[in-house]
Amino acid sequence: MAKKKKKDEQLPEGMSRRQAKLAARAAERAALERDPRPYGELAMEADLVALQEFVPSAFAKLPVKGFDRDVYVATVLPGAAGGMVQEDGTAYVALQTQSHTHNPGRDLAYALAWARDAKPGATLASTANDGSQPPLTELLDASGTLDVQAREDFNWWLPSDAQLDAATAQSLQAANDTIMPSYQVTGFFDGVAWWIDPGEKAHIRWVRRDDEDKLMRALARISAAGALDLGEDTKFAGVFRTHGIAVPVWDLPVDVAYETYGPLLEKLDKKIAASIEADEDLSPEARRALENIKSRQVTIR
């Protein structure tokens, strides 16, 4: 087969062949880079991180811009798809998907761009972005917040009057069987906290938007003072690091209602805020506590 003549190559307007190659390589490098804080420009950052990493079944209406339909963000959709549009035109985009990239903010923008124009009944198999998507802040109101609706099953996937065949009913039941009890703990504190009961003991995962280093130092000071707990029989378990922010975790007794922890988180939130604002040097005890916290932290993605 004859080689394609260089003079027949289609080059970007105003670019030489060398410039076009350099631009293509720069685009490839940019695609491989991981956004350090993919949702950092959004007020709903903590909610999106929680929905992507910790919450099993939930959805929330998104504050989209320039859309002619309602769009919801969800944890999981049928078949771990990236998006779907119901027959009434309502669109859903998922954060927990089977096919995605290492840049969830760009993936969400890609799914939203698809949802803006997709026809009723359409399904998006993958949210893996291809670089064609606009910035996320062009699609979402950056100051908007989410009213997250948690569910104990995935029955919200389908219209209430849907007639299920045996295979679909079996698939839905299998998905429902995987859900662990999860509830959002409400209160006047930074970020969002979710209580989950996986079995022997419950946990609270508190997604915060603080500077990660400052938060870790604050936790270390509070730990050194013996005050890093959420009441009787609770224990600070460590910190998840995900999407550029830290998520402190506590082990809890399963027989205490999740609502109990709202006031306790408010109290601890004030201690954390005061410690971050003071930004005092760490005592020897606090330095040891910090090293202990760091040694047990787990990075997600």
Side-chain angles (χ1 to χ4, degrees):
M1 182 181 294
K3 292 184 178 180
K4 186 177 181 179
K5 295 181 180 179
K6 291 184 177 181
K7 67 178 182 179
D8 294 332
E9 292 181 12
Q10 297 296 318
L11 299 174
E13 186 176 355
M15 280 191 182
S16 66
R17 185 172 293 104
R18 182 174 182 277
Q19 290 172 325
K21 286 183 178 179
L22 291 174
R25 289 172 184 171
E28 290 175 358
R29 287 193 297 269
L32 293 173
E33 292 175 354
R34 184 183 295 273
D35 295 333
R37 198 160 169 174
Y39 305 122
E41 296 181 287
L42 304 174
M44 67 189 86
E45 177 185 24
D47 277 312
L48 291 175
V49 171
L51 292 174
Q52 184 152 26
E53 300 299 341
F54 305 118
V55 184
S57 177
F59 57 89
K61 189 176 181 180
L62 284 169
V64 293
K65 299 191 296 185
F67 282 61
D68 294 328
R69 57 169 38 126
D70 290 337
V71 182
Y72 291 79
V73 63
T75 52
V76 184
L77 293 176
M84 68 178 186
V85 182
Q86 295 181 331
E87 292 302 328
D88 65 358
T90 302
Y92 287 82
V93 292
L95 294 174
Q96 300 176 29
T97 63
Q98 185 171 2
S99 179
H100 54 80
T101 74
H102 56 277
N103 280 310
R106 302 184 203 183
D107 290 348
L108 178 56
Y110 178 82
L112 286 172
W114 171 86
R116 181 175 52 195
D117 304 316
K119 296 181 179 180
T123 299
L124 177 66
S126 169
T127 61
N129 75 85
D130 59 5
S132 64
Q133 72 285 345
L136 194 53
T137 51
E138 286 189 12
L139 300 168
L140 294 176
D141 177 1
S143 64
T145 57
L146 299 182
D147 180 16
V148 177
Q149 304 295 311
R151 293 291 185 267
E152 297 181 7
D153 54 43
F154 288 110
N155 295 345
W156 55 268
W157 281 350
L158 303 169
S160 57
D161 59 350
Q163 299 296 317
L164 305 184
D165 56 47
T168 302
Q170 184 177 7
S171 177
L172 182 60
Q173 185 59 53
N176 289 341
D177 290 343
T178 67
I179 295 179
M180 294 178 285
S182 302
Y183 303 96
Q184 185 171 356
V185 182
T186 59
F188 296 99
F189 50 79
D190 180 77
V192 296
W194 282 83
W195 180 97
I196 185 169
D197 176 14
E200 295 182 1
K201 55 187 175 183
H203 307 287
I204 275 182
R205 294 160 178 165
W206 190 1
V207 185
R208 297 183 59 95
R209 300 187 66 205
D210 313 271
D211 175 86
E212 183 180 340
D213 290 335
K214 291 181 178 179
L215 174 60
M216 296 286 277
R217 290 165 63 86
L219 294 175
R221 295 187 192 97
I222 298 169
S223 177
L228 194 57
D229 63 67
L230 293 174
E232 187 177 357
D233 296 328
T234 68
K235 178 184 178 182
F236 176 68
V239 175
F240 286 114
R241 298 174 64 249
T242 183
H243 305 314
I245 56 180
V247 183
V249 181
W250 283 264
D251 293 338
L252 316 166
V254 295
D255 56 351
V256 177
Y258 72 92
E259 300 98 327
T260 304
Y261 296 101
L264 297 171
L265 288 171
E266 291 179 358
K267 183 178 179 180
L268 184 54
D269 182 64
K270 293 178 181 178
K271 293 179 181 179
I272 292 173
S275 180
I276 290 176
E277 183 177 0
D279 197 23
E280 297 174 349
D281 291 337
L282 297 182
S283 66
E285 294 80 11
R287 284 197 295 271
R288 287 193 291 271
L290 179 60
E291 290 304 314
N292 183 42
I293 293 172
K294 287 183 176 180
S295 69
R296 292 183 290 131
Q297 69 184 2
V298 176
T299 300
I300 303 176
R301 296 183 183 177

